[in-house]
Amino acid sequence: MCSRPLAVAVVLTIIALAGCTPGICGRTSDCATGLQCTTAGACVVPPVDAGADDATTVADSVITPIRDADGDALGIEPIDAAPAGDGNDIDAPDDNGLRGPR
Amino acid sequence: MRSPLFLILLSSATAVADPSALAQAELHLGYGLAMSGSGTTMSKRATPLTLTALVSYAFEDEPPLWGYGGLVVETLDRSAVGGVFGVKYTPRGSRLHLAGGGSVLVAPDSLIGATASGGYCRPQGKTLGVCGDLQVTSYFAGGDLADGRTVTQVQLVLGAVLDVL
């Protein structure tokens, strides 16, 4: 009794499958291993994350101090603005006028 | 109304071989067409072969309602595993049934969907029935879906149902 509807359903399924669009994905599992399904329905290589394995941690970023021969860390002196008149100025000669030929 | 404890055991999308049965075990085999997207980016492809093992329990006499739940496995062109659950309605004196519920795949990637089905069961002896269903499942969330896409699959489901209580 139910064999006819079943056969009709099978035939309809086969016809529907004939119109498949295999190049377009709906799920990532439709794609080959390692590829990802995009919103546009394309299987692409997923973008590489700057993931946890590659991330530079704060600990990695610590500056190793320069040490002297005894192993003591050398301090890094701050660079202060030198006080005016400490000799860094370019002093003009006292007699800095332009002179004409004598 | 029967014990609500058994609601947890939920059950099937197929019909009752024996109207007086309280619990059933079912095995389903589904295959069909999956569609996703629209326009030029619409995909239409064969679904995976879906195997489902269910347990169902009659929890309501009037209307005659069954709860069902079980495991689902996708195979053929991929491997995935998850669970299904829902409620089935079987009109008295009829071999037809309607069911609705949820489908969740958990490995290797997640997928969450809603499912509805309707079908017919033909008794084969006292405790066995053979069923055919048309099942529609719409997956709308999960890591297996591309952003902004949903997948709707229409499957022809063949099932065997066994009265166990």
Side-chain angles (χ1 to χ4, degrees), chain A residues 93-102:
Chain A
D94 293 340
D95 183 5
N96 58 358
L98 293 175
R99 294 179 186 176
R102 292 179 190 267

Side-chain angles (χ1 to χ4, degrees), chain A residues 1-3 6 9-10 13 16-17 19-22 24-30 37-41, chain B residues 31-33 36 40-46 74 78 105 111 120 122 144-147 149 151 156 158:
Chain A
M1 178 179 173
C2 68
S3 59
L6 182 64
V10 169
T13 302
L17 290 174
C20 284
T21 52
I24 303 176
C25 60
R27 295 165 54 178
T28 292
S29 56
D30 292 336
C37 186
T38 66
T39 305
Chain B
Y31 191 68
L33 192 67
S36 176
T40 56
T41 64
M42 181 175 179
S43 75
K44 199 165 75 168
R45 54 191 301 138
E74 287 186 346
R78 75 197 72 195
L105 297 178
L111 207 53
Y120 174 92
R122 184 178 190 174
D144 197 23
L145 286 179
D147 287 341
R149 286 182 86 95
V151 172
L156 182 64
L158 298 179

Side-chain angles (χ1 to χ4, degrees), chain B residues 16-43:
Chain B
V16 190
D18 177 359
S20 63
L22 291 178
Q24 295 175 329
E26 300 186 34
L27 194 62
H28 294 175
L29 194 66
Y31 191 68
L33 192 67
M35 291 156 286
S36 176
S38 60
T40 56
T41 64
M42 181 175 179
S43 75

Side-chain angles (χ1 to χ4, degrees), chain B residues 125-143:
Chain B
K126 280 183 129 182
T127 58
L128 186 67
V130 176
C131 307
D133 281 71
L134 187 66
Q135 185 174 55
V136 179
T137 305
S138 182
Y139 291 109
F140 51 81

Side-chain angles (χ1 to χ4, degrees), chain A:
Chain A
M1 178 179 173
C2 68
S3 59
R4 184 171 296 173
L6 182 64
V8 170
V10 169
V11 168
L12 289 177
T13 302
I14 292 170
I15 291 171
L17 290 174
C20 284
T21 52
I24 303 176
C25 60
R27 295 165 54 178
T28 292
S29 56
D30 292 336
C31 301
T33 305
L35 300 182
Q36 190 174 51
C37 186
T38 66
T39 305
C43 291
V44 299
V45 177
V48 178
D49 278 342
D53 292 340
D54 297 330
T56 302
T57 63
V58 173
D60 294 335
S61 303
V62 171
I63 299 170
T64 304
I66 301 169
R67 297 181 182 279
D68 61 15
D70 298 328
D72 298 326
L74 298 174
I76 299 174
E77 298 288 339
I79 302 171
D80 292 331
D86 65 351
N88 289 332
D89 296 335
I90 300 172
D91 294 329
D94 293 340
D95 183 5
N96 58 358
L98 293 175
R99 294 179 186 176
R102 292 179 190 267

